[in-house]
Amino acid sequence: MRNRLRWRAVCITRKAFCLINLLVFACAFTIKAEETSSNILCRPELAPSRRSELADKLRAITGWRDLGFDQNGALRPGRAQSSGGSPTARDLLGAAVTGKNVLILEDASNRSDVVFCRVNPGRWTKDAAQRPPAYVILIDFADFSRITGDRAALAAFNVGWGLLHEIDHVVHDSVDPQRIGEAGECEDLINRMRRECGLAERVEYYFTLVPGTTASAFMTRLVRLAFEQRTPEQNKKKKRYWLVWDASLVGGFSEDNKIAAVR
Ligand SMILES: [Zn+2]
């Protein structure tokens, strides 16, 4: 849409990876990675409360009632039969747990360069040639706490959904859209999971300024993100729901980022 303001993507695409973002793993962490059969691992610094928050959201989405993190910080789906939840989410998470890549979960709360979540490639400090590819998923828990909006949209956008989005980038090598007005390849799969959970779907990948908000008058930059759900009572009509947050706190608001979003 002409003159419509566009802002930074909620996460970067894998194509945007660059060497400068490579992170280094400590030797101690390497040992722990080898001791577990799960390829999704927490950094030791990820607090128990954050692990619980992630596990709670993932249990609700996958229907895996026993899902949790073990004492080594490894994500375990658990042995219990699934109850409800999304089969597609179970497939994705199961593929990541047993897949060829190691995924490291890191608390990136209040980091200005992380807008909700992001995934970066990692690099082993020793014997890199003998080790699997590694990725670091940065999660800004504080950003998610700053969202307000419709209940139906809030249920469809939390740390669990954000984590699955980043995992899909790694597992399926999926990309985010270059143009506004599209959800993109990665979110299309996440939206299938939302449908399976009976939740609203994300309409667009890019968030936009709330109408009436000027780009220069105040420090506060209210932005919004649309979700839609088709309700049986309304037949084929969709109902729209919104999330709203202050981009000056969450991040992703600058002229540079606006340019980056349309590349
Ligand atoms: Zn993405």
Side-chain angles (χ1 to χ4, degrees), residues 61-76:
I61 295 168
T62 61
W64 277 334
R65 292 168 294 168
D66 290 348
L67 180 149
F69 293 97
D70 68 16
Q71 58 184 4
N72 290 323
L75 180 69
R76 304 284 186 186

